[in-house]
């Protein structure tokens, strides 16, 4: 007997472009509602007649009170979701997995490091930290992208300046770019880190997370205070199919957010 719940219908309340190949869609329940999501948790999003993909929530409450997911069109399902318009219907199951441990970050300086579309799963954590400044130390947000045109949430990033220190870098600058150039780890040299008082949240391409987490530990952060969000090929989202296995971990159940102390050695194994 299957333990996977059937998807609930959700209606697209709004959809807007983030970049040339990335859009955000806000989903509201068309009937029964899923349980509340925590920052970093993901849903299985069904494009009916095409398939389903795991996507972390990029906002827990959008302009219409719904969940927001940010989708980059890179495959058949994500391309179908990218084309959705207000009024269309998708299926949703979730919430799944372990999210950002913001309780462990309480009382610490919060360092958020995002590479590319990896800013999407981090965004609800940023919202939570900025909404409750008394619970956390000084927040710092480091963002890297391939080009200025690939930056998501550009207007919102500007609104984070002031409540948080925000630094942005790109790999390939375009005309008029006056910001930093280089990989996101180069921004660490600009910081006066207090390693014993810092909790880091990291999401982006796996090679970026491996180098970033290793750099943070080399600078004195305790590995269990460096959280990374890992992505694997998730099919069932319930730990039964094994497609998302990383060594002893099933990332749909034990992740996607995991302490670096649990995965540092696993990430060194090529194609594990």
């Amino acid at each position: 007997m299957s333990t996977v719940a059937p998807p609930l219908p959700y209606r697209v309340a709004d959809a807007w472009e983030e970049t040339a190949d990335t859009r955000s869609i806000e989903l509201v329940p068309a009937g029964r509602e899923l349980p509340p999501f925590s920052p970093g948790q993901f849903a299985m999003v069904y494009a009916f007649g095409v398939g389903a993909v795991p996507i972390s929530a990029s906002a827990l409450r959008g302009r219409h009170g719904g969940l927001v997911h940010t989708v980059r069109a890179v495959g058949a399902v994500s391309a179908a979701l990218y084309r959705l318009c207000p009024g269309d219907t998708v299926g949703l199951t979730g919430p799944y997995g372990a999210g950002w441990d913001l309780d462990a970050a309480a009382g610490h300086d919060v360092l958020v490091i995002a590479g590319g579309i990896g800013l999407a799963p981090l965004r609800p954590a940023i919202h939570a930290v900025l909404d409750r400044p008394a619970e956390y130390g000084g927040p710092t947000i480091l963002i890297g992208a391939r080009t200025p045109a690939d930056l998501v949430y550009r207007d919102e990033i500007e609104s984070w300046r002031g409540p948080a220190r925000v630094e942005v870098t790109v790999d390939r600058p375009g005309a008029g770019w006056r910001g930093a150039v280089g990989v996101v780890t180069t921004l660490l040299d600009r910081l006066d880190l207090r390693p014993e008082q810092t909790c880091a949240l990291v999401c982006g391409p796996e090679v970026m997370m491996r180098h970033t987490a290793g750099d943070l530990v080399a600078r004195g952060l305790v590995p269990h205070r460096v959280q990374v969000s890992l992505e694997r090929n998730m099919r069932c989202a319930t730990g039964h199919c094994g497609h998302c296995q990383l060594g002893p971990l099933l990332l749909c159940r034990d992740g996607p957010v995991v302490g670096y102390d649990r995965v540092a050695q696993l990430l060194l194994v090529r194609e594990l």
Side-chain angles (χ1 to χ4, degrees):
M1 179 181 295
S2 173
T3 60
V4 179
L8 297 181
Y10 270 64
R11 178 177 56 81
V12 178
D14 202 356
W16 58 94
E17 184 177 278
E18 299 287 355
T19 72
D21 63 356
T22 304
R23 300 181 84 211
S24 288
I25 55 174
E26 182 176 356
L27 303 173
V28 295
R32 189 158 58 91
E33 187 172 6
L34 292 173
F37 283 63
S38 296
Q41 288 189 303
F42 70 95
M44 293 298 294
V45 186
Y46 291 75
F48 293 121
V50 184
V53 288
I55 306 178
S56 296
S58 59
L60 304 186
R61 188 171 181 83
R63 287 171 283 190
H64 302 274
L67 277 172
V68 179
H69 296 274
T70 300
V71 181
R72 175 169 285 167
V74 293
V77 181
S78 57
L81 296 174
Y82 175 88
R83 294 191 294 267
L84 291 171
C85 297
D88 290 340
T89 301
V90 299
L92 228 60
T93 61
Y96 295 117
W100 304 106
D101 188 353
L102 296 181
D103 289 339
H108 294 80
D109 296 339
V110 178
L111 173 60
V112 175
I113 306 179
I117 197 69
L119 184 56
L122 285 162
R123 190 171 168 225
I126 293 171
H127 291 166
V129 169
L130 296 184
D131 286 346
R132 304 196 297 273
E135 296 182 27
Y136 304 96
T140 298
I141 304 169
L142 307 182
I143 301 168
R146 289 175 297 178
T147 71
D150 292 307
L151 283 167
V152 293
Y153 319 130
R154 276 172 281 186
D155 292 340
E156 188 170 353
I157 288 171
E158 291 306 311
S159 74
W160 296 339
R161 298 184 189 274
R165 176 176 180 177
V166 180
E167 301 280 352
V168 180
T169 186
V170 297
D171 296 336
R172 300 192 302 275
W177 176 256
R178 292 183 173 85
V181 177
V183 296
V184 71
T185 50
T186 61
L187 296 176
L188 292 172
D189 293 330
R190 301 185 176 199
L191 305 182
D192 185 17
L193 280 176
R194 301 189 300 168
E196 70 287 349
Q197 292 293 328
T198 300
C199 181
L201 315 179
V202 184
C203 187
E206 189 168 297
V207 64
M208 165 263 178
M209 289 191 286
R210 185 172 71 247
H211 286 293
T212 301
D215 197 337
L216 290 171
V217 171
R219 291 169 187 260
L221 269 73
V222 179
H224 73 263
R225 288 191 184 143
V226 179
Q227 302 176 35
V228 295
S229 181
L230 297 174
E231 190 174 288
R232 284 294 188 276
N233 185 10
M234 298 178 187
R235 297 280 183 87
C236 72
T238 58
H240 288 81
C241 73
H243 278 85
C244 65
Q245 185 171 7
L246 178 66
L249 304 178
L250 292 170
L251 291 178
C252 69
R253 182 191 66 198
D254 303 313
V257 178
V258 187
Y260 185 62
D261 56 311
R262 299 180 66 192
V263 296
Q265 295 304 311
L266 299 176
L267 293 179
L268 294 176
V269 180
R270 190 177 180 88
E271 297 184 3
L272 178 62

